[in-house]
Amino acid sequence: FKQKTAYEIRLSLVGSEMCIRDRKTTLQVGMEFSLAYVVPESKTVPHLYPESHWYRAMPSVFATGFLVGLVEWACIDAIHPHLDWPAEQSVGTHVDLSHSAATPPGLTVTVHGRLTGVDGRRLTFAVSAHDGIDEIGRGRHERVVIDVARFATKVSAKRPAG
């Protein structure tokens, strides 16, 4: 019989419909949320990787990379009250997102989301984004709840020496 650590016990107690914090059922499948963001010039394609001359020459519209970040932000914002912050946080592990319409700076992009799955620490979301004129994106996003101290230890072990 191997004695489990408190962390291992805690992970095994997290059911598919359970919240991480206090084992409450506050994090429920079906939870809906939204986040609105006015697109500034700094979030357009030429600013995504300014060191690339290819990006700098592209049209000044909301960049797909920044749309992905906005979707992640909306999901983080939605689950934050359900975590033992700052000891527990979440990291993105999968993004499947279309970007179907261009958005110029100045328009407001609203991300709508719904929690579609809770499997232990893995959370799945259905998401869409609209700029007030067109739906600009739709897809699925996954996040995993992490123990920040344990995660930091793993990342630190990967850092190059020097």
Side-chain angles (χ1 to χ4, degrees):
F1 176 78
K2 178 184 178 251
Q3 181 125 10
K4 291 186 174 185
T5 67
Y7 182 76
E8 290 170 325
I9 292 168
R10 185 172 169 214
L11 287 179
S12 67
L13 291 174
V14 177
S16 65
E17 298 295 321
M18 299 294 282
C19 172
I20 305 304
R21 180 188 63 197
D22 299 332
R23 309 305 145 240
K24 294 180 183 174
T25 56
T26 59
L27 192 58
Q28 293 287 325
V29 169
M31 174 184 79
E32 294 188 353
F33 55 91
S34 63
L35 177 71
Y37 180 74
V38 178
V39 177
E41 180 66 34
S42 64
K43 298 298 185 248
T44 61
V45 177
H47 299 277
L48 186 60
Y49 279 100
E51 58 271 60
S52 166
H53 70 278
W54 302 115
Y55 277 109
R56 286 192 317 269
M58 294 183 80
S60 184
V61 295
F62 192 41
T64 302
F66 290 125
L67 175 59
V68 169
L70 187 61
V71 164
E72 288 199 279
W73 179 5
C75 293
I76 292 167
D77 197 50
I79 66 171
H80 176 267
H82 305 277
L83 301 180
D84 183 19
W85 187 273
E88 290 177 324
Q89 296 179 22
S90 67
V91 294
T93 58
H94 184 89
V95 177
D96 181 6
L97 185 68
S98 65
H99 191 176
S100 53
T103 302
L107 290 184
T108 299
V109 171
T110 302
V111 174
H112 295 282
R114 186 170 59 84
L115 181 62
T116 59
V118 178
D119 183 12
R121 298 180 303 126
R122 185 170 310 279
L123 310 174
T124 307
F125 303 88
V127 294
S128 64
H130 201 284
D131 66 11
I133 298 169
D134 294 312
E135 179 177 275
I136 66 165
R138 177 170 293 276
R140 187 173 78 81
H141 178 48
E142 286 184 5
R143 302 193 67 74
V144 170
V145 176
I146 60 163
D147 175 283
V148 172
R150 186 172 174 214
F151 187 83
T153 298
K154 286 183 175 182
V155 170
S156 181
K158 291 179 75 172
R159 293 196 194 281

